[in-house]
Amino acid sequence: MLVIRCPYCEAERPEVEFAYGGEAHIARPADPSTLTDEQWKDHLFIRTNARGTHFERWRHVHGCGRFFNAVRDTVSDKFVTTYKAGLPRPTEAELEGMRK
Amino acid sequence: MNAYRIKGKGRVDQRKPVRFSFNGTAYTGYEGDTLASALLANGVHLVGRSFKYHRPRGILSAGSEEPNALVGTDRGNGRFEPNTRATVLEVFEGLNTTSQNHWPSLKRDVGAINDALYMLFSAGFYYKTFMWPKSFWNKVYEPFIRGAAGLGKSPTVPDPDTYASRFAHCDVLVVGAGPAGLAAALEAGRSGAKVMLCDEQAELGGSLLSETNARIDGASGWDWLKAAAAELAALPNVTVLTRATAIGYYHQNLLGLCQRLTDHLASPPEGAPRERLWKVRAKQVVLAQGAIEKPLVFDGNDRPGVMLAGAARSYLNRYGVKVGNRPVVVTSHDSAWLAAYDLAEAGAKVAAIVDVRPEVAGHLKQRAAALGIEMLTGWTATGTSGRLRVASVRVNPISRNGVFGPARTIACDALLMSGGWTPSVHLFSHTKGKLDWNEEGQMFLPGERTEESRCAGAGNGSFGLAAALAEGAEAGADAAVDAGFKAKAATYKVDGEVPLMGVSSRELTTDRNASKAKAFVDFQNDVTAKDIRLAVREGFKSIEHIKRYTTNGMATDQGKTSNINGLVIASDAVRRPAPAVGLTTFRPPYTPTTFGAFAGYNRSELFEVTRKTPIDVWAEENGAVFEPVSLWRRAWYFPKPGEDMHAAVTRECKTVRETLGMFDASTLGKIEIVGPDAAEFLNRMYTNAWSKLGVGRCRYGVLLGEDGFIRDDGVIGRITSDRFHVTTTTGGAARVLAMMEDYLQTEWPDLKVWLTSITEQWAVIALQGPNARKLFEPLVEGIDLSEEGFPHMSVAEGRIYGVPTRLFRMSFTGERGYEINVPARYGRAVWEKLFEAGQQFGITPYGTETMHVLRAEKGYIIVGQDTDGTLTPEDAGLGWAIGKSKPDFVGKRSLSRPDMLKADRKQLVGLLTSDPNTVLEAGAQIVLDPNQTLPMKMVGHVTSSYWSGTLGRSIALAVVEGGRAREGATIHVPMPGRTHTARIVGTVFYDPENKRLSA
Amino acid sequence: MLHEFHSPVGREIAVGKAIPLRIRTVDDCARFSLRFDPARLAEASKAFGLALPAKIGDVAASSGRLAVQLGPDEWHLLAPLAEQGGVERAFAELYSATPHSLVDVSHREVGIEVEGTAALLALRSAIAFDIEAMPAGMGCRTIFDKAQIVLVRETEERFRIEVWRSFADHVWGILQATSREIELDI
Ligand SMILES: [Zn+2]
C-alpha cells in the first residue's frame, strides 16, 4: 500500500483513501459537436500508456474529496510529485530535480 | 524417555514436561521445545516422506528454512493445519501431530515405488512423462498426479480460528533479533526513536541461542542477551515482537509481519485471535535476517539422520538434545567443526570429521585431536546407507589432482553436513534492491538499495558474532540518525570467537556413476543435481527456466536451502559464472503464511460490509428472505407459512395490482444537488432537459458515459429552484456521485453547485397500488394529495405521523405509487405504522423479486440487468428521454458516431414464449435459425425473464440485433434440454396506456 | 414523536475497570454537510455560531457545536438537536448573497466514541494512517477497515467516529474484536 501526498490536504495519506482517475491533462472539448469522429475517438479512447513517467489523475475520495494530478513512474511505481488540478504539467527539468 | 536429552543443558525448561503425540505415539518434551527438538530428544529422526519419491525423510534444519520435516498439526476443535514445519512448531500439552505423504504408514509406504521409478520422474517429468498415450490421461495419469501432488491433507472443516490485524508506524524497524538486530535495536532505542524489533522465533537471540563459547563484553552470550532483552523491554519507545515473521517488504518501507499469538498455547483464551498481521510503516529499516546453512549435495544426502551441522549444534546447545550418539561430520566449512566439538564434549562419540578441503586451519585440528576425533581432510562423501535412518557414510580420499582413493564406510547414527552459509537477502530482494554476486563467498549480497533500509550481520555477508554486533550497532545508529535522532554506535568486545572459513562447491564429486546418484538439491520437491544438469543438457540456460523445469526452489520453503546449490550446479553445467545464470526472484511471503492472517477480521459477518436499511430488522422479524444487492442485503420476498418463492411472489404481485403493497426502497442512491447552477449541471450530466422542470415536479433521467452508453438512471425531483433530489440505482450510487464530482471539479469548476450524498439520510417506503392514496392521505400533513395538487411525477415536503417527509409520487410498478422519504431513524417506525394502517386494505410488504416482476410487466428497465454497458438510450427504447435540442451533455457526441447509428444494433424488445408456461433463463442466447451448423450465430440474449401472475404467462425482455424491426418474428432460445421458441413483441406487457398510474 | 431506531444504539463495550477502553454510541445530534466559499468563511461562522476552522483537518468545538474541515470548501458540522432549525434558518438567510450548500445529514451518520488509554490501539486495528501522530483537536475523513468514516481526535484519549449508518455495524464488529484482544492483552 502506497502513501500518497494530497496537494490539498498537504499531507501524506494512505492509498486506501485514494482512487485512481486515469490519465491527466485531457480536457473535455468545449464543444464536442465540432469534432470529427476521428478526433472524438482519440479524445475518448487514445491514451499514452507510458512506460516510466506518467501524468495521471487521482482523487482523495475518502479524504478531502479533491481530484488532483500526479506524476508516477510506472516502472518503479514511485510517485515523483503531486499537484492541484488545473496547474500546468511540471517540466522535465522540474521533475528531474524532484527525482533526486 | 528423552534418551537423547542432556540433563541441565539448553534453554528448555526441563522442570516443565509437555506431553504430545506424533503418529499416535505419546512422547514427552519440555516447555521451549519445538516439535523437532522434542522428537529428536526421543530419538525420532524419521518424520515424513518426500513429496515425489516418497523417500523417508528426517529433520534437516532447526529453523523456518526446513524443507523436510512437515507435519499435520491438530490443535483440537477442528483446528488442523497441514505442512507445519516441525522445526518452528512449539510443543504444548496435548498437541497431536501426524506425518505426511505416506500410505499405509510412515514406515511402510506403497508410494515409495516412485523411488524405484526414479528415471520416470526426472527433470521436466510434469511436461514429458504424461504426454503419451493420450488415452491414459483421465484414467491413469491424472488420478496419479492428483494423488501425488500437493503436500499434506487439506483441513476438512472451516477454520474455527479468528485473526487480527494492526497498523503501526515507527522510526526504525529492525527485522531479526540475533546479535546484529539486537545491537541495532539497542542503538536506535537508546536514541529515543520509536523502534520496533521483530523476530520469528519465540525468544530473542537468533544465533546467540545456539552459541555457548563466545563472550561479549566479558559476559557469556546468554547473559548479554538477557541484559539486552531487559534493556529493550524497559525502553518505552521500543516494541518487541517475538513469534513475528517479517513476511514481505513493500513500497515506501511498508513491511508485513505475521505474529503467531496462540499457536503455542495448550488452551488459548476464548476469543483470542490466532495470528495478527502487522502492517508496519517505518521511516528506516534494518534487516538483520542472518544466514542459512547450505547442505552438501552428495548421493544419499537426504536420509533421516542427515542434517545441517549448525542445526545439530542448535539442538544441542539450545535444546539440550544430542542428535546422535555416533555422529559423523561432512563439511567444506569450518563452522561444522564446532558442532563436532560441542557434541564430543557433550558425550557423543564423533566418529569422524570429513572435510573436502585438503587443508584446514591448525587450531581446528588441534582441538579435534584433543577431543579424540578422527579427521579426514581432503576426503569426500560418496554415499550413505540406512533405510529409515542413516547407518553409515561412504567416504573416499581425493588426491590433489582429483584421483579417488579407495572408499571407507564409517558407521554413524547422524550425519552432519555443512556447505557454508547463505545470507538471507529475501526481504531486501522484495524491494527490488540490487543483489551483487560475491565470488569468493559464492553468495549474493545486498547491493544498491531502493528503500530506506540497511542490512547488517550475516544477512549482509558479515559473519561472526563480533562483526554482527559491530555492523548491527552501526546500522541501528545510522538508521536513528536518518530518522532524525542523535545516535552513536557502541562498540562490543567479543572473546572466544575464531574466524570461520569455508569453500563452496557444486555437488560433491564421486567415484561412482554420477547419473545414478541421488544427490538432492531441493529436498521438498525432490530435485537432484542430476535433474539440474539434465535440464541444462536439454537447453535451459537461465535459472528462471531451469527452476520451473526442474521445480527446484518452487516448494513451500521457496528454496531457502536449495537455491544457491541449484544455481552453482547450473552455472557449472552451463559453464557460465553464477550471476550470468541469474538468481530467482524472492517474493513475499518469506515463509508460508495462513490465509487467515491475510484476511484478518474480514471473515464471517465481517467478511464484507453488509449494509442494512433501517427497515431491515422489521423484514427479518417478518420472515423475509434476503438477497445481496451490491453491499446491501435486501428483502427478496416475504413468504407466508407454506409458501415457496413462486407462490409468495405471485401473491405479492397480485396484492399490489389489486389493492396495495409496500416496499423498502431505502437502498436507492440519493444525491442532493444544491446551488444556483444546479439545473445547468443536470442539463450537462443527464440526457434530459432540466431547466424547465417546475419546482415540485420530478422527471426520469438517463445518465450516459462519455462513450454514449447508459450508465445509470433514476427519478430527479426539484425541491426548490436551486435544490434537486436525485436518485440513482442501488449499485450505482457511489459511482454516479464520483462521476458527477469528476465533471464538476475538473471540467466545470466554474459552476456554483455542490453535491452531497443523502442515501442514508432518508429511509424510503414505496407505497404502490390502487389504494395507496386512500391509505395515507389522512396521515400526511402539509401536502395537497389531490389528483390536481399532486399528480403523477410530483414531489413535495410535508409531514407524516409528525415526521418530516419528502414525498414523491412516482411508480416503478405501473400502479398509482408514492415514495415516502423520512429521516432514516424514523424509517422503521413509519413503516410499522403504515403496515398497521394498511391492514384495512390487505396491504402486503413485497421484496425485490416482486418489484422486478412488476416493473418488467411495464417494460421498465433495470440498468445493469437489461443494459450491460453497450446500450445507448435508443437501443434501450429510451430515445424519448434525450433532450434533442440540448447543445451538449455527457455522451451526446458519441451517439452520432457511425457505429451508434447502425440498424443492426442490439435493441431491447419483449419476448413471449410459444409455450406460455416456459420461463426462459435470463442470460440465455438467442438465434434466428435453430438448425444452423455449430457454432450458431447468436443475435442477442434474454436480459430479464419472469412468470407474470397478472398475465397468467411468462414474459421476458431481451436484446436482439435489429430487434425492433423484427417485431412479430419468431426467434429461438437454445437452453439445456431443448430449444424454445418465442415471438418478438414490444417491451410493455401490461397497461400500455398507463391508465393505472392514476387509477 | 415516533421512536427512533438505529442498530448499534444502546450498545457499549467496556474493557477493564479504570476505563482503559470504553466504546459507546453517542447521543443523536444535528449534522450538516456544509459547502462554502472559504474566502467568505466569516459569514458561515456567524451563521453557525462557531468560528469554523480554516485548514483541512482542523476542528473547532464549543457549547455543543463541532466543526471539522474535511475539504477545501467542505465542513462537517455537529450541533445540538434543538438547534437544527436555527442553523438551517441562519444559513438560508445567507443563501442569496452567498450561494452555498447546507444539507441535513443528521440521520446519515452514527456517532461512536472510543475513549481510554487503549483507544489508539483499538483504532490502529483498522485505520491505516498514523493516528498517534494526529494531535488532539484534529479530524479527517478516512477509511476504517472497509468503511469510510470521519475521525475526530477530541482529546488525547478520546476519539469520535462518524460513520454512515449502514456501515456502523461493520465498524462496531471490528471494534468488538479488537476490544477482546485488548482485554486479553494479546
Ligand atoms: Zn486531500
Side-chain angles (χ1 to χ4, degrees), chain B residues 680-809:
Chain B
E680 172 58 19
F681 177 67
L682 288 172
N683 274 339
R684 297 187 193 183
M685 291 303 303
Y686 283 81
T687 62
N688 324 59
W690 300 94
S691 305
K692 289 188 181 135
L693 183 72
V695 170
R697 299 291 294 160
C698 45
R699 179 173 289 165
Y700 171 76
V702 178
L703 182 74
L704 308 183
E706 203 68 274
D707 53 15
F709 298 125
I710 297 172
R711 288 291 194 280
D712 204 79
D713 67 352
V715 170
I716 298 174
R718 191 166 202 169
I719 308 294
T720 68
S721 65
D722 288 6
R723 190 175 292 257
F724 290 80
H725 181 114
V726 174
T727 66
T728 73
T729 58
T730 294
R735 205 165 49 236
V736 170
L737 183 57
M739 178 177 165
M740 288 181 173
E741 280 289 348
D742 190 345
Y743 278 90
L744 188 55
Q745 288 184 33
T746 66
E747 302 295 349
W748 313 312
D750 51 312
L751 291 185
K752 279 198 175 332
V753 57
W754 300 275
L755 318 173
T756 306
S757 173
I758 49 167
T759 302
E760 301 228 35
Q761 166 70 12
W762 301 100
V764 185
I765 302 165
L767 277 182
Q768 303 274 312
N771 286 316
R773 185 169 106 198
K774 277 184 221 150
L775 168 66
F776 79 100
E777 195 157 26
L779 312 173
V780 173
E781 303 159 49
I783 305 173
D784 169 14
L785 287 177
S786 69
E787 210 49 36
E788 307 72 46
F790 203 62
H792 185 59
M793 298 308 267
S794 295
V795 61
E797 290 183 304
R799 288 187 172 265
I800 180 165
Y801 293 113
V803 170
T805 181
R806 267 185 193 171
L807 183 66
F808 284 76
R809 178 156 176 207

Side-chain angles (χ1 to χ4, degrees), chain B residues 325-582:
Chain B
N325 287 323
R326 191 183 158 79
V328 167
V329 171
V330 184
T331 186
S332 66
H333 196 276
D334 294 348
S335 62
W337 290 64
L338 304 185
Y341 306 152
D342 289 355
L343 277 159
E345 279 166 358
K349 167 68 193 151
V350 179
I353 299 174
V354 180
D355 199 314
V356 300
R357 298 170 294 178
E359 295 295 341
V360 296
H363 66 87
L364 292 176
K365 291 187 181 172
Q366 281 161 23
R367 192 148 170 224
L371 289 163
I373 304 172
E374 183 183 2
M375 289 167 277
L376 302 170
T377 55
W379 286 59
T380 190
T382 53
T384 61
S385 78
R387 197 171 74 85
L388 301 176
R389 168 93 178 256
V390 66
S392 72
V393 56
R394 181 180 184 271
V395 294
N396 300 66
I398 318 178
S399 71
R400 291 200 183 266
N401 46 13
V403 179
F404 277 76
R408 233 182 95 182
T409 299
I410 306 173
C412 62
D413 63 354
L415 183 57
L416 315 181
M417 59 181 169
S418 179
W421 297 78
T422 304
S424 284
V425 294
H426 301 74
L427 290 170
F428 181 80
S429 178
H430 291 175
T431 67
K432 296 204 171 104
K434 197 169 162 293
L435 294 174
D436 296 333
W437 177 250
N438 177 291
E439 184 60 32
E440 188 197 341
Q442 294 284 292
M443 59 192 173
F444 281 102
L445 293 177
E448 198 182 322
R449 64 183 190 172
T450 63
E451 296 282 345
E452 294 295 321
S453 69
R454 292 175 171 75
C455 298
N460 198 32
S462 303
F463 295 104
L465 185 54
L469 289 167
E471 203 168 280
E474 200 178 325
D478 289 352
V481 168
D482 281 0
F485 296 83
K486 285 201 180 102
K488 192 171 171 293
T491 53
Y492 296 95
K493 186 171 175 299
V494 173
D495 302 305
E497 188 181 37
V498 292
L500 300 171
M501 325 290 277
V503 299
S504 194
S505 53
R506 54 186 188 82
E507 75 268 40
L508 302 184
T509 52
T510 179
D511 59 329
R512 290 165 154 182
N513 182 350
S515 72
K516 292 209 169 139
K518 288 168 185 172
F520 286 89
V521 179
D522 182 327
F523 294 85
Q524 195 171 123
N525 267 353
D526 274 349
V527 180
T528 63
K530 194 194 65 136
D531 291 325
I532 293 172
R533 291 187 180 278
L534 178 63
V536 171
R537 274 205 307 282
E538 292 184 356
F540 295 95
K541 303 285 185 244
S542 150
I543 199 68
E544 291 287 356
H545 297 149
I546 294 167
K547 162 185 168 170
R548 281 162 181 80
Y549 193 59
T550 61
T551 71
N552 192 63
M554 288 176 71
T556 63
D557 62 338
Q558 278 199 58
K560 290 190 177 64
T561 54
S562 63
N563 275 341
I564 294 292
N565 278 338
L567 174 64
V568 170
I569 292 166
S571 114
D572 182 61
V574 179
R575 291 188 174 63
R576 291 172 67 192
V581 180

